[in-house]
Amino acid sequence: MARDSSATKARLLDAAFTEFATYGIAGARVDRIAETAQANKRLIYVYYGNKEQLFDAVLQRALATGSESVAFDVEDLPGYAGAVFDHLVERPELMRLVLWKQLERPGSTDAESSSYEGKIAEVRQAQEAGRIDAGVPAADVLTLVMGLSQAWFGAMGGPAGAAGTGWAAERLAEHRAAVVEAVRRITTPAPPADGA
């Protein structure tokens, strides 16, 4: 009977995602990942190399899944920010994984840089066409949009609050509305001055 390596790889990535989101890179244990995935520990090294390379694969898959789940829409940055917020509410462990990455591996990967550069170029084009306020550099607009989308997750008692507690649906809706409104304000072009 042939072994299904793709199923094993998927189980390893799922188990590693949970392990890295919980413990970070330094605290993650390959033994726990293998046990959770019901796989031989040796397969982690065969398929992914070392623990750091496994983390890279987990992060890459999480970013790809996020990009597929929340398509970037330069024509509706407030809507995009709300969709990112919703995605993170549904998957709070994703924000924990990103925070661990920032703590233990500051800087961006080539894939992250490439993704951001493309989005920055789209924002810049929309600014040049007058659809987005050009008073803030395009890279800063994108940083603010992403920062606002993620800001509540670092707040005390936020959506991924202590001991699994989270905000009530009404509170989440208020925060989401605040994110969308803030992005709308920073991206809406100023009306032309009188006499222009």
Side-chain angles (χ1 to χ4, degrees):
M1 178 156 91
R3 292 184 183 182
D4 186 359
S5 65
S6 62
T8 301
K9 287 178 182 179
R11 286 195 321 272
L12 285 168
L13 288 175
D14 289 343
F17 179 90
T18 301
E19 181 77 7
F20 288 127
T22 303
Y23 300 103
I25 301 168
R29 296 292 172 255
V30 174
D31 290 335
R32 282 192 300 244
I33 294 169
E35 182 180 333
T36 301
Q38 298 177 340
N40 186 313
K41 179 172 82 169
R42 183 182 64 78
L43 292 176
I44 292 172
Y45 301 103
V46 169
Y47 294 143
Y48 301 104
N50 58 35
K51 183 169 70 167
E52 288 74 21
Q53 290 168 314
L54 176 60
F55 179 82
D56 291 340
V58 167
L59 184 63
Q60 182 60 40
R61 186 177 81 157
L63 294 174
T65 300
S67 293
E68 291 168 8
S69 300
V70 184
F72 182 69
D73 185 358
V74 75
E75 300 303 323
D76 182 16
L77 288 178
Y80 173 70
V84 170
F85 181 88
D86 293 342
H87 183 70
L88 293 174
V89 166
E90 291 172 13
R91 297 191 71 204
E93 67 279 0
L94 179 58
M95 196 65 228
R96 288 194 302 272
L97 182 74
V98 169
L99 290 172
W100 278 115
K101 191 268 182 199
Q102 290 173 342
L103 285 169
E104 295 183 290
R105 279 203 184 152
S108 60
T109 64
D110 290 342
E112 290 170 310
S113 295
S114 176
S115 173
Y116 265 73
E117 288 302 319
K119 291 172 185 169
I120 290 167
E122 287 186 54
V123 171
R124 187 175 298 112
Q125 290 171 349
Q127 287 176 317
E128 290 167 358
R131 296 187 311 272
I132 294 178
D133 189 304
V136 176
D140 294 340
V141 168
L142 184 59
T143 300
L144 289 168
V145 168
M146 296 308 296
L148 288 166
S149 300
Q150 299 171 8
W152 296 110
F153 296 88
M156 191 65 79
T165 62
W167 291 329
E170 299 81 24
R171 192 73 170 125
L172 281 171
E174 289 171 0
H175 288 306
R176 186 187 193 283
V179 167
V180 170
E181 177 59 18
V183 171
R184 185 193 63 74
R185 288 183 186 196
I186 64 169
T187 60
T188 301
D194 288 340

